[in-house]
Amino acid sequence: MAYSRHGTLLAALALILAACGPGDQGAEMTRVLSPPVAATTPDPTIAPAAGAELSSGDADLLARTELSAVLAAAQEIFAARGTFDADLETVAASTGIDVAALVDAASSDGVVYDAHGLRLTLHRRSASGRWFCVDVTEGGKDYGFGDSFQSAFDACTDGVMVDGWEDTYSATGPDDSAIKTTLAALVDALAAGNGRAARSTFALTASCSVTDLEEVWPAGLALIEPGEFELRTLAVSGERATADVSLGAFTDERWPLVKVGGEWRNDADPCRLVGPVAAEAMDLMAPELLEQGLLAVKGAFVARSNFGFSAAAVAELDGELVLVPGDEVTFGVLSYQGRHGEGLLITRGRPGRFLCAVESLSAPTVYGEGASIDEVDTPGACRSKPS
């Protein structure tokens, strides 16, 4: 009876998925398909010291090293025979690496060798829990990885040729999971406008203190929405890592991290990172606040037929507005001063940008802008600095 690769594969998949348990079947997997990267050659010297456990990254490197060694042996077999078919003992003897059949993949701690004439598929499970795979056909070699056997197999047999393993991300790897937790904490802080919480996710060596960060990023100012974050790939090398992320208005996609005292932290200056994004957000929101204040001023004018009312009268018409004396104006608050024929509102955008508006009986609303409060603190000064 003819050999059926499809039937054997289905049987093997059933055994492997059952052995891995339900938690592996839905695990997260990331793979960049284009453009391909040059094939990587893992360091063959990677090996655990006596009694020591490999890190997640080194375990993955060891698994890929063994796959590469078995692949090289298989190519020698093909060159000599014109086929990848060979007994597993022959392959194992030429490499010194444990080699298993596909049906034994779930229980074997070695490279799975699945040959069918001109086609070869190799699988290896890392101690980190990741699976790596190489599929060799007449069209070339396709590399893949995933958090389960099925996801790795799909990646290396999907018809999209990828020449080499790329940066991997596993939701279950210990370092990867810790990094994801750190990034998630930063995302929560950015979405909540919590500078103190955000600062705690950065390395302490950064010169930007919590106070420094709060000066460029006012408390309560949300810089992203929770759904604006995506972790695409993650490369861990010892105590340093690089995440490829999409994070709302933040344009830096390559996100550096460092391991400090056993914990992963963002490796950047938070003031320089957050400052420009916060400044842009403040400049967008300040004009909106000014318009909201003008509506309340106009309401107070209608009730009195003049602008000589107090700041408290403006605040009474809109409970969301915070009114302060002119020398206390900062982002998110307003200052009002009025006399019979005209009234002045002031607020601040980013540091060094003050916005003002003059309402009067004799002219339409006039808007102005200055670099300091002194440049816009009277109706005449505001008119002289049009925006």
Side-chain angles (χ1 to χ4, degrees), residues 175-186 196-206 234-236 238-243 255-270 273:
D175 283 327
D176 296 353
S177 180
I179 290 171
K180 186 178 181 182
T181 299
T182 296
L183 292 175
L186 175 61
R196 185 170 295 277
R199 181 63 185 84
S200 69
T201 70
F202 288 82
L204 295 176
T205 53
L234 180 61
V236 181
E239 295 188 345
R240 306 199 70 83
T242 302
W255 206 271
L257 297 106
V258 63
K259 199 171 189 178
V260 180
E263 297 184 353
W264 285 97
R265 294 288 181 263
N266 294 296
D267 191 23
D269 185 317
L273 183 70

Side-chain angles (χ1 to χ4, degrees), residues 336-380:
Y336 176 78
Q337 55 175 288
R339 54 191 180 187
H340 182 81
E342 60 187 3
L344 172 69
L345 271 176
I346 304 172
T347 190
R348 201 204 79 185
R350 73 175 67 198
R353 186 176 184 227
F354 290 83
L355 308 180
C356 62
V358 179
E359 283 288 347
S360 68
L361 295 172
S362 58
T365 306
V366 175
Y367 296 90
E369 178 180 331
S372 68
I373 188 69
D374 296 338
E375 295 184 4
V376 295
D377 62 350
T378 66

Side-chain angles (χ1 to χ4, degrees), residues 57-279:
D58 284 346
D60 290 349
L61 200 57
L62 179 59
R64 289 155 53 181
T65 298
E66 293 185 355
L67 273 174
S68 297
V70 173
L71 176 59
Q75 289 172 321
E76 291 181 3
I77 292 171
F78 184 85
R81 304 181 183 183
T83 176
F84 286 113
D85 292 328
D87 61 89
L88 302 183
E89 290 76 11
T90 298
V91 180
S94 65
T95 61
I97 295 170
D98 290 338
V99 179
L102 183 62
V103 293
D104 297 321
S107 58
S108 173
D109 185 25
V111 174
V112 175
Y113 191 94
D114 186 31
H116 301 279
L118 302 181
R119 184 167 191 172
L120 172 70
T121 308
L122 303 176
H123 307 268
R124 179 68 166 96
R125 186 175 190 177
S126 165
S128 72
R130 301 183 184 95
W131 282 87
F132 293 89
C133 179
V134 186
D135 188 53
V136 185
T137 64
E138 293 179 274
K141 297 187 289 291
D142 188 13
Y143 292 72
F145 64 86
D147 285 338
S148 68
F149 177 92
Q150 182 64 64
S151 61
F153 178 77
D154 290 344
C156 72
T157 60
D158 58 5
V160 180
M161 305 301 289
V162 176
D163 185 19
W165 290 287
E166 302 179 39
D167 293 346
T168 63
Y169 163 66
S170 167
T172 57
D175 283 327
D176 296 353
S177 180
I179 290 171
K180 186 178 181 182
T181 299
T182 296
L183 292 175
L186 175 61
V187 169
D188 290 344
L190 292 173
N194 189 336
R196 185 170 295 277
R199 181 63 185 84
S200 69
T201 70
F202 288 82
L204 295 176
T205 53
S207 59
C208 173
S209 66
V210 172
T211 301
D212 295 332
L213 186 58
E214 290 176 342
E215 287 182 0
V216 298
W217 178 26
L221 176 60
L223 299 184
I224 65 167
E225 297 292 334
E228 292 183 310
F229 172 71
E230 179 187 1
L231 174 58
R232 293 188 287 250
T233 60
L234 180 61
V236 181
S237 178
E239 295 188 345
R240 306 199 70 83
T242 302
D244 180 6
V245 302
S246 174
L247 187 58
F250 291 84
T251 57
D252 293 335
E253 295 185 348
R254 304 297 289 176
W255 206 271
L257 297 106
V258 63
K259 199 171 189 178
V260 180
E263 297 184 353
W264 285 97
R265 294 288 181 263
N266 294 296
D267 191 23
D269 185 317
C271 290
R272 292 183 180 181
L273 183 70
V274 173
V277 178

